[in-house]
Amino acid sequence: MKKTPIGHVACPVCDFPDAQVKEDKNSHAYIHCTDCNAQTFTRNDFRNGKLRGRMRAITVTISDDTVTVTAPVPATAPAADKAPPVKKPGGWFQPLLAQG
């Protein structure tokens, strides 16, 4: 199924100014550069929001009226609710060191 572009942004690989911003099956935005054929995906809501905030929305002209189509920005949860994961001291090699 062909994806419809929702905006444009500069390509992070080759600096092509009109790389397309599209949505994947999870409604996350990603960059597809038609110049160098690179694809850059967003894997979480924070990166998705940053890309959508940076893109230029597609403007379509219909019978002398300008209609601006913008993608909705998903609501993000506050980062203060989540505590960072606690790392255990040592690592996978700690039992090997204990054996001697």
Side-chain angles (χ1 to χ4, degrees):
M1 180 166 84
K2 187 171 180 153
K3 303 286 183 181
T4 305
I6 60 172
H8 294 283
V9 71
C11 176
V13 177
C14 69
D15 277 340
F16 180 64
D18 290 325
Q20 298 175 343
V21 178
K22 301 179 180 182
E23 283 187 341
D24 65 4
K25 65 181 180 181
N26 298 323
S27 298
H28 286 157
Y30 71 93
I31 301 169
H32 176 244
C33 180
T34 54
D35 194 43
C36 68
N37 208 25
Q39 293 180 339
T40 307
F41 292 91
T42 59
R43 299 290 186 206
N44 59 36
D45 292 333
F46 178 77
R47 292 179 183 167
N48 185 35
K50 288 287 191 182
L51 177 58
R52 287 179 187 267
R54 214 172 56 134
M55 75 177 188
R56 297 181 314 273
I58 292 181
T59 303
V60 180
T61 304
I62 302 173
S63 67
D64 297 334
D65 293 332
T66 302
V67 178
T68 303
V69 180
T70 58
V73 178
T76 57
D81 294 346
K82 297 180 182 177
V86 178
K87 280 191 150 186
K88 295 180 181 178
W92 62 271
F93 59 90
Q94 191 64 34
L96 296 176
L97 294 175
Q99 290 178 357

